[in-house]
Amino acid sequence: SEMLRGGVACSTLRPLTSSASNRWQVLHPAQPNRFHWRPVLATCGGTVVLCQAQARRSMSSLPSRGMENGLVSCEWLRAELDAPSAPLRLVEATWYLPNSPFAAPEGSEGPQAEFMAGPRLPGAGFFDIDGVATPHSVPHMLPDEETFAAAMAALQIEPGTRVVAYDRLGVFSSPRFWYTLKVAFGHPAEVAVLDGGLPRWKELGYPLEEGPPPEPAAPAKMARWSKVQEAV
């Protein structure tokens, strides 16, 4: 089995049989005894991309009690932002898969330009999946420890900071950031993906930021981040 590193959900995927390679067993890491059979939409460089709607149904069937499942609802996040129980950072991690249903919209200048123009969740920072990466012939490889530490400092993410990641497609690329932070680098605080992402947040009529984001705060003190070798 392998951890999905860039698809719809960060789950363990197991092929049903070698002759049925388009069906995988999806195991959510928070509930390893719970699984669903889901068709694969596409593969790209060894990354499995699940059908977004079906993967979301798998995740939405999990109970919502906060961040312990790795998935939070927009309703939960709105309430938590009004009265945070501990430091919480919002991070947009939009990435588009060319020539697929998850490609950039027509006229897009890229996910970071869209983030800068808005709309975006209030106070969010942006994580560049392609930019914060180890140079390689294959794109967006996991970053080295120094590069990742600098990116986390710029986002004001410290070892005790809780993090909620979202993207502009609902739930597509944000689990990649969840995997990088929580699994590959072993972030000790809670990390979760926002169920429904920006589309669901907008649908509910919750506050948004438009136009250039406010001047970023000074970077946090650079912490030491070490890769979890078993995860990478």
Side-chain angles (χ1 to χ4, degrees), residues 152-174:
M152 293 303 97
L155 287 169
Q156 298 180 302
I157 295 174
E158 299 178 299
T161 307
R162 298 179 304 157
V163 180
V164 173
Y166 74 93
D167 63 64
R168 293 176 174 269
L169 292 174
V171 180
F172 178 63
S173 55
S174 48

Side-chain angles (χ1 to χ4, degrees), residues 130-209:
D130 281 330
V132 184
T134 297
H136 195 276
S137 58
V138 178
H140 48 253
M141 298 296 288
L142 284 172
D144 60 70
E145 293 165 352
E146 184 176 350
T147 298
F148 187 73
M152 293 303 97
L155 287 169
Q156 298 180 302
I157 295 174
E158 299 178 299
T161 307
R162 298 179 304 157
V163 180
V164 173
Y166 74 93
D167 63 64
R168 293 176 174 269
L169 292 174
V171 180
F172 178 63
S173 55
S174 48
R176 165 61 188 257
F177 178 66
W178 175 93
Y179 174 87
T180 303
L181 179 59
K182 186 66 178 175
V183 181
F185 283 90
H187 187 47
E190 292 178 308
V191 184
V193 168
L194 183 62
D195 192 12
L198 182 62
R200 176 61 176 162
W201 188 268
K202 291 170 64 177
E203 181 182 283
L204 293 170
Y206 290 163
L208 292 162
E209 285 183 353

